[in-house]
């Protein structure tokens, strides 16, 4: 009873003291405003932490970029190969590819982004119908590739097999302007061991890999591919070059257009080998499981001759690079390969495209935290 009475007295004294103390409403209002102002600051700091996390490195393995800007000159050899094959009993296949061309141009970089423009040395002042745009963004954790390619109509037949046990070498390297192709898409991938493995060291020259290391990769992509074929002109060329030995094209090759959309999930592995000071040999391979939705128009425009299909195929992306980089100056070569497949019981196509690059450049605009070290 005494203890209960003591509790009641203590509570009463506390309430009385609070009642006698004036309440500062202005102070409460100011406190509320401060809390409201602090909330966006906390959110902003979280966003900053996420962004900075993209380039968080283990400096025992990776030397961070000391500069903000980069400039280089690059020579590029693009390649683009299409293989069309019917899947009838007497399967026919034809491979098309344009002539190799050398493109040269300047590039400029800022942090993760590297942009440039190249012009062809093969056809100065001439428009061959090709249109190309490539954008690559490399960070420690995430990479992004954007590509837009319209290859024009300057293909040549590189290989033809229209009937077994027959020589079709007369068709080799014959110009054929009845094929036009276009590719638009992107690939995004995540680098798991991004603290110790540097993708930019091999393909963006923005960091230096100190110790050999590798990482698993995972990503997704989207691509839209279109093929326009003038099969009548193709049959005419076959008849002209083969003479009495000519053969008719299979129905699987007699289409006006093939257009398909590709959604893919990919996984793979990348490795950087540091075989000497400031030297790096890097390679990565990714296989993708792709779901394709395709609508094709056959030999005439009758709707009965149109076919649509959705299926799964295996695609691939490969990257290989050799780099010398002492942080101020760098030079090297790299190769990127994309390959996409579509397969159906009566039709198959493979598109392999990419580029071989040779470059030399420098970094400039020293970051503040490195100025004292180099002064």
């Amino acid at each position: 009873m005494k203890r209960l009475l003591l509790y009641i007295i203590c509570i009463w004294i506390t309430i009385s003291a609070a009642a006698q103390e004036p309440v500062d409403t202005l102070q409460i209002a100011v406190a509320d405003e401060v809390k409201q102002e602090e909330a966006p600051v906390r959110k902003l700091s979280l966003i900053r932490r996420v962004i900075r996390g993209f380039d968080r490195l283990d400096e025992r393995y990776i030397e961070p970029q000391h500069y903000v800007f980069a400039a280089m000159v690059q020579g590029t050899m693009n390649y683009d190969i299409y293989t069309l094959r019917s899947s009838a009993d007497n399967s026919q296949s034809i491979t098309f590819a344009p002539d190799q061309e050398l493109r040269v141009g300047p590039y400029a970089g800022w942090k993760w982004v590297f942009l440039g423009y190249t012009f062809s040395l093969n056809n100065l002042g001439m428009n061959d119908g090709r249109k190309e745009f490539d954008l690559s963004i490399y960070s420690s954790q995430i990479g992004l590739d954007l590509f837009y390619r319209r290859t024009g109509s300057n293909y040549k037949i590189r290989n033809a097999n229209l009937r077994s046990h027959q020589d079709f070498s007369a068709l080799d390297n014959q110009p054929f302007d009845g094929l036009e192709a276009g590719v638009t898409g992107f690939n995004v991938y995540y680098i798991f061991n991004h603290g110790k493995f540097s993708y930019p060291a091999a393909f963006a020259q923005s960091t230096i890999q100190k110790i050999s290391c590798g990482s698993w990769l995972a990503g997704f992509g989207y691509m839209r591919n279109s093929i326009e074929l003038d099969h009548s002109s193709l049959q005419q060329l076959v008849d002209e070059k083969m003479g009495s030995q000519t053969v008719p094209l299979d129905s699987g090759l007699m289409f006006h257009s093939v257009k398909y959309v590709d959604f893919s999930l990919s996984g793979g592995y990348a490795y950087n080998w540091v075989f000497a000071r400031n030297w790096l040999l890097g390679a990565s391979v990714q296989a993708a499981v792709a779901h394709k939705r395709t609508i094709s128009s056959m030999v005439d425009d009758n709707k009965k001759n149109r076919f649509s299909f959705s299926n799964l195929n295996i695609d691939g992306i490969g990257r290989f690079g050799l780099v010398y980089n002492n942080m101020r100056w760098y030079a090297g070569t790299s190769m990127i390969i994309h390959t996409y497949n579509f397969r159906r019981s009566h039709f198959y196509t493979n598109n392999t495209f990419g580029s071989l690059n040779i470059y030399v450049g420098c970094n400039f605009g020293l970051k503040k935290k490195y100025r004292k070290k180099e002064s």
Side-chain angles (χ1 to χ4, degrees):
M1 187 67 178
K2 292 180 180 180
R3 182 175 298 176
L4 177 61
L5 183 61
L6 180 61
Y7 288 159
I8 294 174
I9 293 173
C10 291
I11 294 171
W12 176 257
I13 292 173
T14 303
I15 294 174
S16 299
Q20 293 174 4
E21 184 177 348
V23 177
D24 191 344
T25 55
L26 179 60
Q27 182 178 359
I28 294 175
V30 171
D32 289 340
E33 290 181 3
V34 170
K35 290 180 180 179
Q36 292 176 1
E37 291 178 359
E38 286 179 350
V41 172
R42 285 197 296 269
K43 291 180 181 178
L44 183 60
S45 63
L46 176 60
I47 294 173
R48 285 177 178 173
R49 288 198 299 270
V50 172
I51 294 175
R52 289 175 180 175
F54 288 157
D55 274 342
R56 186 173 293 115
L57 307 175
D58 185 338
E59 296 191 16
R60 297 172 301 173
Y61 286 79
I62 303 170
E63 181 67 26
Q65 175 60 270
H66 294 187
Y67 299 88
V68 179
F69 304 102
M72 76 175 187
V73 175
Q74 177 171 289
T76 299
M77 292 284 289
N78 290 322
Y79 50 91
D80 189 14
I81 303 171
Y82 274 92
T83 297
L84 307 179
R85 187 170 72 228
S86 68
S87 298
D89 293 336
N90 296 321
S91 180
Q92 298 179 339
S93 67
I94 304 179
T95 299
F96 301 91
D99 287 333
Q100 294 283 338
E101 68 168 355
L102 176 62
R103 304 180 69 89
V104 178
Y107 280 73
W110 174 76
K111 294 186 177 180
W112 302 339
V113 183
F114 222 74
L115 297 173
Y117 175 81
T118 59
F119 57 90
S120 174
L121 296 182
N122 300 50
N123 300 294
L124 290 174
M126 299 178 60
N127 184 7
D128 61 0
R130 296 189 185 188
K131 297 179 181 178
E132 298 180 12
F133 172 79
D134 294 281
L135 170 64
S136 294
I137 300 176
Y138 297 98
S139 73
S140 298
Q141 290 188 26
I142 295 175
L144 170 64
D145 295 324
L146 299 173
F147 46 87
Y148 172 90
R149 299 166 65 91
R150 296 296 181 269
T151 56
S153 57
N154 58 343
Y155 284 89
K156 291 184 177 180
I157 296 176
R158 302 302 180 179
N159 184 64
N161 183 10
L162 305 181
R163 179 182 293 168
S164 60
H165 308 298
Q166 188 169 339
D167 183 12
F168 290 93
S169 59
L171 294 172
D172 291 351
N173 298 318
Q174 290 297 319
F176 179 67
D177 60 2
L179 177 68
E180 295 187 14
V183 178
T184 304
F186 70 87
N187 292 306
V188 179
Y189 47 90
Y190 182 82
I191 302 154
F192 288 93
N193 191 21
H194 50 81
K196 298 179 180 180
F197 168 84
S198 176
Y199 224 141
F203 300 104
Q205 307 85 44
S206 58
T207 60
I208 296 177
Q209 186 85 47
K210 297 179 181 179
I211 303 174
S212 300
C213 192
S215 176
W216 291 100
L217 312 172
F220 65 92
Y222 165 85
M223 186 195 68
R224 183 179 181 87
N225 198 330
S226 63
I227 307 172
E228 306 288 336
L229 178 67
D230 185 348
H231 60 83
S232 298
S233 296
L234 180 59
Q235 183 68 70
Q236 183 178 351
L237 179 61
V238 172
D239 293 343
E240 177 185 341
K241 297 300 177 181
M242 295 303 298
S244 60
Q245 297 182 349
T246 187
V247 295
L249 297 176
D250 285 346
S251 60
L253 295 179
M254 299 178 68
F255 61 88
H256 289 305
S257 67
V258 173
K259 297 180 180 180
Y260 66 85
V261 179
D262 181 303
F263 300 91
S264 63
L265 294 176
S266 62
Y269 191 78
Y271 190 80
N272 285 343
W273 176 35
V274 182
F275 60 90
R277 179 178 174 82
N278 296 330
W279 283 94
L280 172 66
L281 181 62
S284 73
V285 177
Q286 289 176 265
V289 178
H291 177 265
K292 295 179 173 64
R293 298 180 57 193
T294 309
I295 297 176
S296 299
S297 177
M298 298 298 288
V299 62
D300 55 46
D301 289 331
N302 191 319
K303 292 184 178 180
K304 295 181 181 179
N305 286 328
R306 294 183 180 181
F307 64 92
S308 62
F309 42 82
S310 298
N311 63 348
L312 296 176
N313 292 269
I314 302 298
D315 299 331
I317 304 173
R319 302 172 189 268
F320 309 91
L322 175 65
V323 184
Y324 172 81
N325 188 352
N326 65 9
M327 191 58 73
R328 179 64 174 177
W329 298 93
Y330 58 87
T333 182
S334 64
M335 176 183 289
I336 302 175
I337 302 172
H338 300 261
T339 181
Y340 296 95
N341 298 286
F342 167 76
R343 190 182 302 275
R344 191 64 172 173
S345 60
H346 55 288
F347 181 76
Y348 167 86
T349 179
N350 170 266
N351 176 212
T352 299
F353 68 90
S355 59
L356 173 64
N357 307 307
I358 300 175
Y359 54 85
V360 59
C362 67
N363 296 307
F364 59 96
L366 196 63
K367 296 179 180 178
K368 290 182 179 179
K369 63 179 179 179
Y370 296 109
R371 290 175 185 174
K372 294 182 179 179
K373 294 182 181 180
E374 296 196 6
S375 61

